[in-house]
PDB file of all heavy atoms in Angstrom:
ATOM      1  N   HIS A 107     -15.227 -32.904 -33.825  1.00 97.00           N
ATOM      2  CA  HIS A 107     -15.832 -32.674 -32.530  1.00 97.00           C
ATOM      3  C   HIS A 107     -14.954 -33.277 -31.451  1.00 97.00           C
ATOM      4  O   HIS A 107     -14.399 -34.437 -31.614  1.00 97.00           O
ATOM      5  CB  HIS A 107     -17.172 -33.289 -32.543  1.00 97.00           C
ATOM      6  CG  HIS A 107     -18.167 -32.689 -33.468  1.00 97.00           C
ATOM      7  ND1 HIS A 107     -18.849 -31.602 -33.122  1.00 97.00           N
ATOM      8  CD2 HIS A 107     -18.432 -32.934 -34.789  1.00 97.00           C
ATOM      9  CE1 HIS A 107     -19.626 -31.202 -34.209  1.00 97.00           C
ATOM     10  NE2 HIS A 107     -19.341 -32.018 -35.151  1.00 97.00           N
ATOM     11  N   ARG A 108     -14.824 -32.574 -30.352  1.00 97.00           N
ATOM     12  CA  ARG A 108     -14.025 -33.013 -29.166  1.00 97.00           C
ATOM     13  C   ARG A 108     -15.199 -33.454 -28.132  1.00 97.00           C
ATOM     14  O   ARG A 108     -16.064 -32.724 -27.918  1.00 97.00           O
ATOM     15  CB  ARG A 108     -13.197 -31.948 -28.596  1.00 97.00           C
ATOM     16  CG  ARG A 108     -12.242 -32.467 -27.486  1.00 97.00           C
ATOM     17  CD  ARG A 108     -11.318 -31.308 -27.149  1.00 97.00           C
ATOM     18  NE  ARG A 108     -10.381 -31.689 -26.188  1.00 97.00           N
ATOM     19  CZ  ARG A 108      -9.096 -32.172 -26.493  1.00 97.00           C
ATOM     20  NH1 ARG A 108      -8.740 -32.247 -27.787  1.00 97.00           N
ATOM     21  NH2 ARG A 108      -8.228 -32.541 -25.603  1.00 97.00           N
ATOM     22  N   HIS A 109     -15.033 -34.604 -27.614  1.00 97.00           N
ATOM     23  CA  HIS A 109     -15.915 -35.149 -26.615  1.00 97.00           C
ATOM     24  C   HIS A 109     -15.247 -35.578 -25.335  1.00 97.00           C
ATOM     25  O   HIS A 109     -14.070 -36.000 -25.350  1.00 97.00           O
ATOM     26  CB  HIS A 109     -16.575 -36.404 -27.185  1.00 97.00           C
ATOM     27  CG  HIS A 109     -17.080 -36.348 -28.579  1.00 97.00           C
ATOM     28  ND1 HIS A 109     -18.299 -35.716 -28.871  1.00 97.00           N
ATOM     29  CD2 HIS A 109     -16.604 -36.746 -29.747  1.00 97.00           C
ATOM     30  CE1 HIS A 109     -18.454 -35.737 -30.136  1.00 97.00           C
ATOM     31  NE2 HIS A 109     -17.474 -36.389 -30.750  1.00 97.00           N
ATOM     32  N   ILE A 110     -15.920 -35.326 -24.222  1.00 97.00           N
ATOM     33  CA  ILE A 110     -15.454 -35.849 -22.919  1.00 97.00           C
ATOM     34  C   ILE A 110     -16.544 -36.660 -22.278  1.00 97.00           C
ATOM     35  O   ILE A 110     -17.731 -36.383 -22.396  1.00 97.00           O
ATOM     36  CB  ILE A 110     -14.954 -34.646 -22.007  1.00 97.00           C
ATOM     37  CG1 ILE A 110     -16.142 -33.731 -21.723  1.00 97.00           C
ATOM     38  CG2 ILE A 110     -13.740 -33.937 -22.572  1.00 97.00           C
ATOM     39  CD1 ILE A 110     -15.836 -32.671 -20.705  1.00 97.00           C
ATOM     40  N   GLY A 111     -16.091 -37.724 -21.629  1.00 95.00           N
ATOM     41  CA  GLY A 111     -17.041 -38.588 -20.972  1.00 95.00           C
ATOM     42  C   GLY A 111     -16.541 -40.067 -21.007  1.00 95.00           C
ATOM     43  O   GLY A 111     -15.335 -40.262 -21.015  1.00 95.00           O
ATOM     44  N   ASP A 112     -17.410 -40.945 -21.207  1.00 94.00           N
ATOM     45  CA  ASP A 112     -17.049 -42.399 -21.340  1.00 94.00           C
ATOM     46  C   ASP A 112     -17.111 -42.777 -22.798  1.00 94.00           C
ATOM     47  O   ASP A 112     -18.174 -42.846 -23.382  1.00 94.00           O
ATOM     48  CB  ASP A 112     -18.022 -43.268 -20.521  1.00 94.00           C
ATOM     49  CG  ASP A 112     -17.932 -43.020 -19.039  1.00 94.00           C
ATOM     50  OD1 ASP A 112     -16.792 -42.815 -18.548  1.00 94.00           O
ATOM     51  OD2 ASP A 112     -18.936 -42.999 -18.333  1.00 94.00           O
ATOM     52  N   PRO A 113     -15.931 -42.949 -23.418  1.00 96.00           N
ATOM     53  CA  PRO A 113     -15.902 -43.064 -24.908  1.00 96.00           C
ATOM     54  C   PRO A 113     -16.413 -44.442 -25.342  1.00 96.00           C
ATOM     55  O   PRO A 113     -16.383 -45.474 -24.611  1.00 96.00           O
ATOM     56  CB  PRO A 113     -14.419 -42.902 -25.148  1.00 96.00           C
ATOM     57  CG  PRO A 113     -13.706 -43.305 -23.948  1.00 96.00           C
ATOM     58  CD  PRO A 113     -14.601 -42.895 -22.802  1.00 96.00           C
ATOM     59  N   PRO A 114     -16.908 -44.479 -26.546  1.00 95.00           N
ATOM     60  CA  PRO A 114     -17.202 -45.787 -27.157  1.00 95.00           C
ATOM     61  C   PRO A 114     -15.942 -46.614 -27.356  1.00 95.00           C
ATOM     62  O   PRO A 114     -14.864 -46.015 -27.381  1.00 95.00           O
ATOM     63  CB  PRO A 114     -17.961 -45.459 -28.491  1.00 95.00           C
ATOM     64  CG  PRO A 114     -17.465 -44.018 -28.773  1.00 95.00           C
ATOM     65  CD  PRO A 114     -17.117 -43.393 -27.442  1.00 95.00           C
ATOM     66  N   VAL A 115     -16.093 -47.920 -27.502  1.00 94.00           N
ATOM     67  CA  VAL A 115     -14.901 -48.817 -27.637  1.00 94.00           C
ATOM     68  C   VAL A 115     -14.045 -48.403 -28.799  1.00 94.00           C
ATOM     69  O   VAL A 115     -12.781 -48.446 -28.697  1.00 94.00           O
ATOM     70  CB  VAL A 115     -15.423 -50.241 -27.849  1.00 94.00           C
ATOM     71  CG1 VAL A 115     -14.272 -51.202 -28.045  1.00 94.00           C
ATOM     72  CG2 VAL A 115     -16.210 -50.645 -26.618  1.00 94.00           C
ATOM     73  N   ASP A 116     -14.556 -47.975 -29.928  1.00 94.00           N
ATOM     74  CA  ASP A 116     -13.810 -47.692 -31.076  1.00 94.00           C
ATOM     75  C   ASP A 116     -13.431 -46.220 -31.228  1.00 94.00           C
ATOM     76  O   ASP A 116     -13.029 -45.752 -32.302  1.00 94.00           O
ATOM     77  CB  ASP A 116     -14.566 -48.106 -32.369  1.00 94.00           C
ATOM     78  CG  ASP A 116     -15.894 -47.381 -32.462  1.00 94.00           C
ATOM     79  OD1 ASP A 116     -16.354 -46.824 -31.462  1.00 94.00           O
ATOM     80  OD2 ASP A 116     -16.466 -47.406 -33.571  1.00 94.00           O
ATOM     81  N   ALA A 117     -13.454 -45.478 -30.129  1.00 95.00           N
ATOM     82  CA  ALA A 117     -13.174 -44.042 -30.177  1.00 95.00           C
ATOM     83  C   ALA A 117     -11.718 -43.686 -30.465  1.00 95.00           C
ATOM     84  O   ALA A 117     -10.813 -44.473 -30.211  1.00 95.00           O
ATOM     85  CB  ALA A 117     -13.543 -43.413 -28.751  1.00 95.00           C
ATOM     86  N   GLU A 118     -11.578 -42.554 -31.118  1.00 97.00           N
ATOM     87  CA  GLU A 118     -10.257 -42.043 -31.441  1.00 97.00           C
ATOM     88  C   GLU A 118      -9.856 -41.154 -30.233  1.00 97.00           C
ATOM     89  O   GLU A 118     -10.174 -40.010 -30.202  1.00 97.00           O
ATOM     90  CB  GLU A 118     -10.282 -41.166 -32.694  1.00 97.00           C
ATOM     91  CG  GLU A 118      -8.934 -40.592 -33.053  1.00 97.00           C
ATOM     92  CD  GLU A 118      -9.096 -39.633 -34.293  1.00 97.00           C
ATOM     93  OE1 GLU A 118     -10.067 -39.792 -35.079  1.00 97.00           O
ATOM     94  OE2 GLU A 118      -8.254 -38.700 -34.396  1.00 97.00           O
ATOM     95  N   LEU A 119      -9.152 -41.811 -29.248  1.00 98.00           N
ATOM     96  CA  LEU A 119      -8.776 -41.106 -27.995  1.00 98.00           C
ATOM     97  C   LEU A 119      -7.725 -40.026 -28.310  1.00 98.00           C
ATOM     98  O   LEU A 119      -6.928 -40.209 -29.252  1.00 98.00           O
ATOM     99  CB  LEU A 119      -8.239 -42.038 -26.962  1.00 98.00           C
ATOM    100  CG  LEU A 119      -9.222 -43.054 -26.454  1.00 98.00           C
ATOM    101  CD1 LEU A 119      -8.561 -44.077 -25.458  1.00 98.00           C
ATOM    102  CD2 LEU A 119     -10.414 -42.425 -25.827  1.00 98.00           C
ATOM    103  N   THR A 120      -7.733 -38.971 -27.559  1.00 97.00           N
ATOM    104  CA  THR A 120      -6.727 -37.924 -27.674  1.00 97.00           C
ATOM    105  C   THR A 120      -6.231 -37.518 -26.298  1.00 97.00           C
ATOM    106  O   THR A 120      -6.848 -37.834 -25.325  1.00 97.00           O
ATOM    107  CB  THR A 120      -7.328 -36.701 -28.542  1.00 97.00           C
ATOM    108  OG1 THR A 120      -6.237 -35.829 -28.795  1.00 97.00           O
ATOM    109  CG2 THR A 120      -8.429 -35.994 -27.712  1.00 97.00           C
ATOM    110  N   GLN A 121      -5.137 -36.753 -26.280  1.00 97.00           N
ATOM    111  CA  GLN A 121      -4.558 -36.261 -25.006  1.00 97.00           C
ATOM    112  C   GLN A 121      -5.557 -35.312 -24.368  1.00 97.00           C
ATOM    113  O   GLN A 121      -6.006 -34.389 -25.044  1.00 97.00           O
ATOM    114  CB  GLN A 121      -3.218 -35.622 -25.220  1.00 97.00           C
ATOM    115  CG  GLN A 121      -2.113 -36.599 -25.578  1.00 97.00           C
ATOM    116  CD  GLN A 121      -1.754 -37.361 -24.351  1.00 97.00           C
ATOM    117  OE1 GLN A 121      -1.998 -38.575 -24.339  1.00 97.00           O
ATOM    118  NE2 GLN A 121      -1.242 -36.791 -23.292  1.00 97.00           N
ATOM    119  N   PRO A 122      -5.822 -35.446 -23.082  1.00 97.00           N
ATOM    120  CA  PRO A 122      -6.665 -34.515 -22.394  1.00 97.00           C
ATOM    121  C   PRO A 122      -5.942 -33.239 -22.126  1.00 97.00           C
ATOM    122  O   PRO A 122      -4.657 -33.268 -21.984  1.00 97.00           O
ATOM    123  CB  PRO A 122      -7.110 -35.249 -21.105  1.00 97.00           C
ATOM    124  CG  PRO A 122      -5.959 -36.191 -20.876  1.00 97.00           C
ATOM    125  CD  PRO A 122      -5.469 -36.605 -22.263  1.00 97.00           C
ATOM    126  N   SER A 123      -6.720 -32.205 -21.966  1.00 96.00           N
ATOM    127  CA  SER A 123      -6.118 -30.905 -21.442  1.00 96.00           C
ATOM    128  C   SER A 123      -6.599 -30.702 -20.025  1.00 96.00           C
ATOM    129  O   SER A 123      -7.514 -31.383 -19.604  1.00 96.00           O
ATOM    130  CB  SER A 123      -6.619 -29.755 -22.393  1.00 96.00           C
ATOM    131  OG  SER A 123      -8.001 -29.567 -22.286  1.00 96.00           O
ATOM    132  N   ILE A 124      -6.092 -29.692 -19.343  1.00 95.00           N
ATOM    133  CA  ILE A 124      -6.580 -29.414 -18.030  1.00 95.00           C
ATOM    134  C   ILE A 124      -8.060 -28.880 -18.128  1.00 95.00           C
ATOM    135  O   ILE A 124      -8.842 -29.128 -17.236  1.00 95.00           O
ATOM    136  CB  ILE A 124      -5.589 -28.376 -17.357  1.00 95.00           C
ATOM    137  CG1 ILE A 124      -5.930 -28.349 -15.796  1.00 95.00           C
ATOM    138  CG2 ILE A 124      -5.739 -27.069 -17.986  1.00 95.00           C
ATOM    139  CD1 ILE A 124      -4.913 -27.653 -15.011  1.00 95.00           C
ATOM    140  N   ASP A 125      -8.427 -28.209 -19.214  1.00 94.00           N
ATOM    141  CA  ASP A 125      -9.777 -27.926 -19.424  1.00 94.00           C
ATOM    142  C   ASP A 125     -10.718 -29.040 -19.483  1.00 94.00           C
ATOM    143  O   ASP A 125     -11.741 -29.087 -18.857  1.00 94.00           O
ATOM    144  CB  ASP A 125      -9.944 -27.030 -20.744  1.00 94.00           C
ATOM    145  CG  ASP A 125      -9.346 -25.673 -20.673  1.00 94.00           C
ATOM    146  OD1 ASP A 125      -9.428 -24.998 -19.558  1.00 94.00           O
ATOM    147  OD2 ASP A 125      -8.883 -25.214 -21.669  1.00 94.00           O
ATOM    148  N   ASP A 126     -10.303 -30.096 -20.254  1.00 96.00           N
ATOM    149  CA  ASP A 126     -11.099 -31.291 -20.394  1.00 96.00           C
ATOM    150  C   ASP A 126     -11.354 -31.931 -18.982  1.00 96.00           C
ATOM    151  O   ASP A 126     -12.473 -32.323 -18.592  1.00 96.00           O
ATOM    152  CB  ASP A 126     -10.382 -32.367 -21.250  1.00 96.00           C
ATOM    153  CG  ASP A 126     -10.220 -31.953 -22.701  1.00 96.00           C
ATOM    154  OD1 ASP A 126     -11.067 -31.287 -23.180  1.00 96.00           O
ATOM    155  OD2 ASP A 126      -9.198 -32.367 -23.301  1.00 96.00           O
TER     156      ASP A 126
END
Side-chain angles (χ1 to χ4, degrees):
H107 297 272
R108 187 174 188 93
H109 310 285
I110 59 173
D112 294 323
V115 175
D116 60 343
E118 179 186 334
L119 295 177
T120 190
Q121 285 294 111
S123 68
I124 196 167
D125 288 325
D126 296 326

